[in-house]
Amino acid sequence: MSDIVAIIAGGEGTVTRVLAAEALRRAAREAGHDIEIEVRTGEGVLDPLAASRIAVAGVAIEVGGSEAGDPRFAGKATIRATLADVLADAAAVLGRAAGTMPPGGRRIVAITSCPTGIAHTFMAAEGLLQAAKALGHEIRVETQGSVGAGTPLTEDEIAAADIVLIAADRQVDLGRFGGKRVFQSGTKPAINDGKALIARALDEAELQGGTARPAARTGARKPRTGPYKHLMTGVSFMIPFVTAGGLLIALAFAFGGIHATDAAQAHSFAGALFEIGAKSAFTLFVPVLGGYIAYSIADRPGLAPGMIGGLLASLTGAGFLGAILAGFIGGYATRWLNEILRLPRGLQGLKPVLLLPVLGTLFTGLLMIYVIGRPVAELLHLMTHVLRSMQGSSALALGLLLGAMMAFDMGGPVNKAAYTFSVGLLSAQVYTPMAAVMAAGMTPPLGIALATRLFASRFNTLERESGLSTGVLGLSFITEGAIPYAAEDPFRVIPCTMTGSAIAGAISMVADVKLRVPHGGVFVLPIPNAVTHLGLYVVAIVAGSMVTAVMLGLVKKPAGEADG
């Protein structure tokens, strides 16, 4: 790949331009740079630059040419020189160009994001920062976390970048990166092996069109694209509504007692809190889930079909299951319509604001009313009835299953499946799975943190020093805090964490603990009515953590001892 591309378009005579090109090539060889040069003459163009070569170049040189510059270099670091400058001292011109490139490496801009915007987002960012530093590349990372974009990328940084690396488990808007080379991945590769991910991105990144489509991908081998990423995008936008609604409902019962929902309490403070939490936030989260699944698939034209389909799911009793189906139907239908509708150029503006939303909404809405709504509503009603009636061995089995799923991949697809299932059931007033899932999600980092204190000889110095921060992550219901330990010794750590989490989930389910909020860890437990049977819930978390810690002490070898 070329470090530098150049165009020689000005000066007198073909021979002079060819000599200038040869002078630049010789200077590049002596300086250890790769260069490709396009020479424009009266007879035609010599060695024309391919778009792919321009895309991978770190810097461009324009010799002569118009003041406006070559439009193919838009967004790329470019220096200008005269033909006389090159013939007098080509090395100096080349030195100016090389000075605009990061020493020894490439300029990379990156975005990291995960569905909850908490742990994986920042762990992936840290992995990329450390990997780029080790490889000698210059990198800037924008973290799209739970409170928006942190350290947002500037237009100048994007323009100067050689590649854009997206490490995200949810959909990221690519509109800023038209004309840049873009590579998309999940967060796990950035966390586990940032160096390999950067090397792959530099090799496989593809040129992004001027108008980005969220459905565009850089290759079928990219992890967790397609339905999983679309679902996680919907979940990430849904969670704030569930959190706000759940806490406000809990506070309504704290102020108004068990009669907070009575008509007589409608004009009281407790009644107002219930109105905001249950009748507003909880009413909205189902349509938001459907809307942003469709948005992830079809961009803005998919938002209305998905959200309206989600609202119809709520009105017909199909709940979150219906909203998920509405989101996928609305998104894929809208994207398909966008591909098959062919309009004259002057009417293209009607597609995103009129035709696609209307036709997509009509198709999705009719399917929800006449085909999908009633069967899914009956399925959700049956599932709700079964879950509410679970006692004894059935509750134990569900708790064991949900708990083990939460610790299996600690923020991966299996973990998110258990979490999404439990959050969705909040709309049906089924709260026990949510309690089991949060207890099980807290257990792995808490158990590991405890093990670093009880069995210090089983951990190296860095692991012991990280134990306190891992425990804090566990208290905050950030399961991903256990990932560094699991990555270091997966065949011993993961079975231990799965066992502890399964026990925590089982105790929570058998004790019929109900949790009204989807996140927050121990920090939401003091809120009145946020959780029932608080004492037993604490017992579940402590028991799961102790089992994890003791098992780790038994199965892990002393630090530094090699496997025999």
Side-chain angles (χ1 to χ4, degrees), residues 113-460:
S113 183
C114 68
T116 55
I118 301 175
H120 275 69
T121 298
F122 300 100
M123 294 169 71
E126 183 63 24
L128 290 176
L129 288 168
Q130 292 181 0
K133 182 179 179 181
L135 294 171
H137 299 303
E138 181 181 306
I139 191 168
R140 272 276 287 112
V141 182
E142 174 180 305
T143 54
Q144 294 190 359
S146 56
V147 293
T151 60
L153 300 172
T154 67
E155 291 183 6
D156 290 342
E157 288 169 337
I158 295 171
D162 295 306
I163 64 164
V164 179
L165 201 167
I166 309 294
D169 297 324
R170 56 184 290 266
Q171 195 61 42
V172 172
D173 183 9
L174 303 180
R176 294 179 286 170
F177 307 124
K180 306 300 294 186
R181 294 177 66 227
V182 177
F183 181 85
Q184 295 190 76
S185 166
T187 55
K188 280 291 181 69
I191 296 170
N192 296 334
D193 193 349
K195 290 181 181 179
L197 179 62
I198 289 175
R200 184 179 169 197
L202 289 169
D203 184 50
E204 299 181 15
E206 294 184 358
L207 197 63
Q208 180 73 15
T211 54
R213 284 189 54 79
R217 295 289 183 266
T218 57
R221 290 182 292 161
K222 307 301 182 289
R224 294 208 299 272
T225 59
Y228 175 83
K229 179 172 282 190
H230 303 320
L231 177 62
M232 290 300 102
T233 298
V235 169
S236 71
F237 282 97
M238 175 187 75
I239 286 174
F241 292 86
V242 183
T243 303
L247 286 175
L248 289 171
I249 291 170
L251 289 173
F253 285 111
F255 284 99
I258 61 173
H259 302 293
T261 61
D262 293 351
Q265 296 286 333
H267 300 292
S268 67
F269 182 63
L273 291 177
F274 189 79
E275 182 82 18
I276 298 168
K279 298 182 180 180
S280 299
F282 263 43
T283 299
L284 278 173
F285 92 70
V286 174
V288 164
L289 173 62
Y292 279 96
I293 289 173
Y295 169 81
S296 176
I297 298 167
D299 209 345
R300 288 189 186 90
L303 187 59
M307 192 165 288
I308 293 169
L311 180 58
L312 287 170
S314 183
L315 295 174
T316 58
F320 80 99
L321 292 177
I324 291 172
L325 289 174
F328 282 108
I329 291 169
Y332 283 116
T334 303
R335 191 168 78 178
W336 177 73
L337 288 168
N338 185 45
E339 292 171 353
I340 66 167
L341 286 176
R342 295 289 183 264
L343 298 177
R345 182 172 297 178
L347 298 178
Q348 283 290 329
L350 293 177
K351 283 176 66 175
V353 298
L354 176 62
L355 295 178
L356 296 180
V358 171
L359 294 176
T361 298
L362 178 64
F363 179 76
T364 306
L366 290 175
L367 275 180
M368 293 304 299
I369 292 172
Y370 291 112
V371 180
I372 295 172
R374 186 178 297 276
V376 174
E378 292 177 357
L379 175 63
L380 183 63
H381 177 75
L382 175 63
M383 186 170 65
T384 301
H385 174 73
V386 170
L387 289 169
R388 284 178 171 168
S389 61
M390 271 189 167
Q391 294 179 351
S393 60
S394 58
L396 176 68
L398 182 61
L400 288 169
L401 176 63
L402 291 175
M405 289 175 69
M406 288 299 293
F408 175 72
D409 54 0
M410 305 178 196
V414 176
N415 170 287
K416 287 296 187 292
Y419 181 73
T420 302
F421 169 77
S422 303
V423 172
L425 287 172
L426 294 178
S427 65
Q429 289 80 53
V430 178
Y431 303 112
T432 50
M434 190 71 253
V437 159
M438 191 158 89
M442 295 166 63
T443 297
L446 286 175
I448 289 172
L450 185 61
T452 62
R453 296 295 182 267
L454 298 179
F455 308 101
S457 64
R458 295 324 196 242
F459 299 89
N460 60 41

